[in-house]
Amino acid sequence: MRFYTLLLWLSTCASVAHAQQPDSTAAPARTERDLRLGQPAKNPDDRPSFIPAPVIFYEPETGIAGGVTFLPTWRHGRDTTVRKSNGRIGGWYSQKKQLNLQLSHTIFTRREAWLITGDLLFYDYPIFFYGIGNDTRLADESEISYKVLTFNQRGLKQLLVPGLFAGLTYRYTDTRDIQADFPTVTDGDQPNLLLTQVPAEQRRDTRISGLGPSVIYDTRDNVLSTFGGNYLDLQALFNRAGLGSDYKFTRYQLDARHFRPLRPGSNRTILAGQLLGQFNRGNVPFRELAGLGGISVLRGIYEGRFRDRQLLMGQVELRHHLFWRLNAAVFAGAGQVAPRLRDMGLGEFNYAAGGGLRFQFNRRDRINIRFDYGVGSGGSSGLYFGVNEAF
């Protein structure tokens, strides 16, 4: 079923993507206005795109799911040294009445004077909760559900160094209807872990609101699918009652990435690496704990399988162009969570590895659709569908 869905999806994408390719035979021509203002000619290949991508997949947790995602890309001005802005608008609905909606954007203004990023997310579907800690057991799998709305917005001004931005981040989440879908764990008669490991006050409707400084250093050539460059993101979020937060805690986050071709002068094979750290202080509710696993962080481990106050994770990926619009990737990573940094140890890492295919839906802007399969610590495995690379 999964393989059939993949073939159906790729054939649909190929026909849509072929129809979206620009006519590169047209030569750029400067108008009288261009000459008067001293600006370059408008390149017909650089026009904005707004490509719809069908979303069709099957997973045991969702059944058959379908929807649509729109992937707009555009550039502010005609200066090709300004990286393209992009967004994502869409969602999906599943056979098991699960809903996921997303609106996200990354905007570089003219001369990259400002970087504005953010997203608005809503989802309503059950997940598996395995408890808190770095060594949770598969046998304790507990199905829980909640509705969550997340708003995250960042505005950063470029400083004197190209690619260096500084500004503020605001994040708000509203979590409602937190419940244990079954009174016991999935395959046993023990109580659902939400009822035994999560305090009653954390099972109530919860609002988290935080504001803090951010610094980003970004020299990636393309933020959607990078061939070369570096990315460093440092941020702090202070969640306080004065901002409307039900819990008072502080979150610090480090996200460092490096990309380079394995052979100079060729982008056929790219080595990518990421180091991620998240550190929390204060009264952190269970849903705001740092978590390993999912579509971007250690694929092969179920999302949030291991969660606690502190997190360290590293992963590497080798991306290789095969032929036509198809690329392949192999990846591996390790990470751990702990209540305190001093509780982390060299022998406490959880591991994940796997591989996958990428279909280049939009060649001009290097927009990829990816299908990954990974296996990880704790008896986990997963098949992942995503737009753009994991990092």
Side-chain angles (χ1 to χ4, degrees):
M1 176 65 179
R2 289 174 177 171
F3 183 67
Y4 171 77
T5 302
L6 173 59
L7 291 179
L8 174 64
W9 200 94
L10 286 176
S11 64
T12 304
C13 284
S15 61
V16 174
H18 178 74
Q20 293 285 343
Q21 292 306 305
D23 180 10
S24 59
T25 61
R30 299 178 73 185
T31 66
E32 291 185 6
R33 184 174 183 272
D34 295 337
L35 292 170
R36 186 172 66 254
L37 297 177
Q39 62 185 7
K42 187 175 182 179
N43 191 330
D45 286 359
D46 203 25
R47 63 175 182 254
S49 66
F50 193 72
I51 301 177
V55 176
I56 305 171
F57 64 95
Y58 170 85
E59 287 292 334
E61 296 85 0
T62 63
I64 299 173
V68 66
T69 295
F70 292 89
L71 306 168
T73 59
W74 69 97
R75 194 193 312 275
H76 285 278
R78 300 182 185 181
D79 183 358
T80 56
T81 63
V82 174
R83 285 167 289 184
K84 285 193 173 183
S85 302
N86 67 84
R88 186 191 306 180
I89 307 167
W92 52 260
Y93 187 76
S94 79
Q95 182 182 7
K96 298 184 179 180
K97 300 181 179 181
Q98 300 161 327
L99 179 64
N100 182 301
L101 301 173
Q102 179 178 13
L103 169 64
S104 63
H105 59 273
T106 299
I107 299 172
F108 293 97
T109 65
R110 291 175 183 267
R111 300 183 301 278
E112 295 196 1
W114 288 88
L115 171 60
I116 303 169
T117 69
D119 48 54
L120 179 65
L121 306 172
F122 174 80
Y123 61 80
D124 175 14
Y125 53 84
I127 65 167
F128 291 129
F129 176 60
Y130 296 89
I132 298 169
N134 194 58
D135 55 357
T136 57
R137 302 188 311 156
L138 187 64
D140 291 333
E141 179 181 273
S142 303
E143 185 173 317
I144 69 174
S145 63
Y146 48 77
K147 300 179 179 69
V148 61
L149 174 71
T150 300
F151 172 79
N152 189 68
Q153 185 65 54
R154 311 174 78 178
L156 302 101
K157 180 76 170 67
Q158 187 180 79
L159 303 182
L160 297 178
V161 179
L164 181 62
F165 302 87
L168 292 174
T169 297
Y170 175 73
R171 180 175 180 270
Y172 172 84
T173 66
D174 189 337
T175 307
R176 298 182 177 274
D177 302 331
I178 304 172
Q179 59 185 355
D181 293 338
F182 298 96
T184 63
V185 299
T186 303
D187 296 321
D189 55 6
Q190 299 180 58
N192 188 301
L193 293 189
L194 181 70
L195 306 176
T196 59
Q197 288 200 10
V198 177
E201 61 269 19
Q202 293 189 18
R203 301 198 297 268
R204 304 189 186 113
D205 295 349
T206 301
R207 291 176 299 178
I208 303 297
S209 180
L211 180 70
S214 294
V215 176
I216 290 180
Y217 179 65
D218 187 358
T219 63
R220 294 173 296 173
D221 63 319
N222 182 307
V223 300
L224 298 176
S225 178
T226 307
F227 288 161
N230 297 292
Y231 178 82
L232 176 63
D233 182 354
L234 302 171
Q235 62 173 292
L237 272 176
F238 301 95
N239 303 281
R240 298 293 185 267
L243 296 171
S245 182
D246 293 331
Y247 289 84
K248 179 182 177 181
F249 66 97
T250 302
R251 171 177 296 164
Y252 304 95
Q253 186 161 302
L254 159 71
D255 185 354
R257 311 177 193 181
H258 175 69
F259 307 86
R260 67 174 182 179
L262 282 190
R263 293 181 58 186
S266 171
N267 294 321
R268 188 174 180 87
T269 306
I270 305 298
L271 177 65
Q274 180 187 29
L275 175 66
L276 179 67
Q278 188 180 117
F279 316 104
N280 293 284
R281 295 181 60 188
N283 184 17
V284 188
F286 87 100
R287 213 201 69 82
E288 293 292 319
L289 294 171
L292 288 176
I295 195 170
S296 298
V297 180
L298 294 191
R299 285 155 287 173
I301 295 177
Y302 185 83
E303 183 174 0
R305 170 64 190 277
F306 307 103
R307 64 176 78 198
D308 215 317
R309 296 166 60 87
Q310 321 301 334
L311 175 148
L312 279 176
M313 186 279 301
Q315 58 184 345
V316 294
E317 183 166 291
L318 196 64
R319 303 166 183 170
H320 182 71
H321 175 68
L322 298 175
F323 59 91
W324 187 50
R325 297 172 181 267
L326 292 180
N327 303 303
V330 292
F331 50 86
Q336 63 177 292
V337 296
R340 298 167 299 183
L341 279 176
R342 63 174 177 266
D343 296 324
M344 292 186 172
L346 292 177
E348 303 299 323
F349 281 96
N350 293 291
Y351 301 94
L357 291 174
R358 278 92 177 102
F359 175 77
Q360 196 162 76
F361 187 75
N362 180 336
R363 284 175 171 171
R364 184 187 67 182
D365 299 320
R366 303 208 306 250
I367 298 177
N368 289 327
I369 307 298
R370 62 185 171 95
F371 298 87
D372 289 331
Y373 180 76
V375 295
S377 299
S380 295
S381 66
L383 179 68
Y384 304 91
F385 164 90
V387 179
N388 302 328
E389 299 296 345
F391 63 92

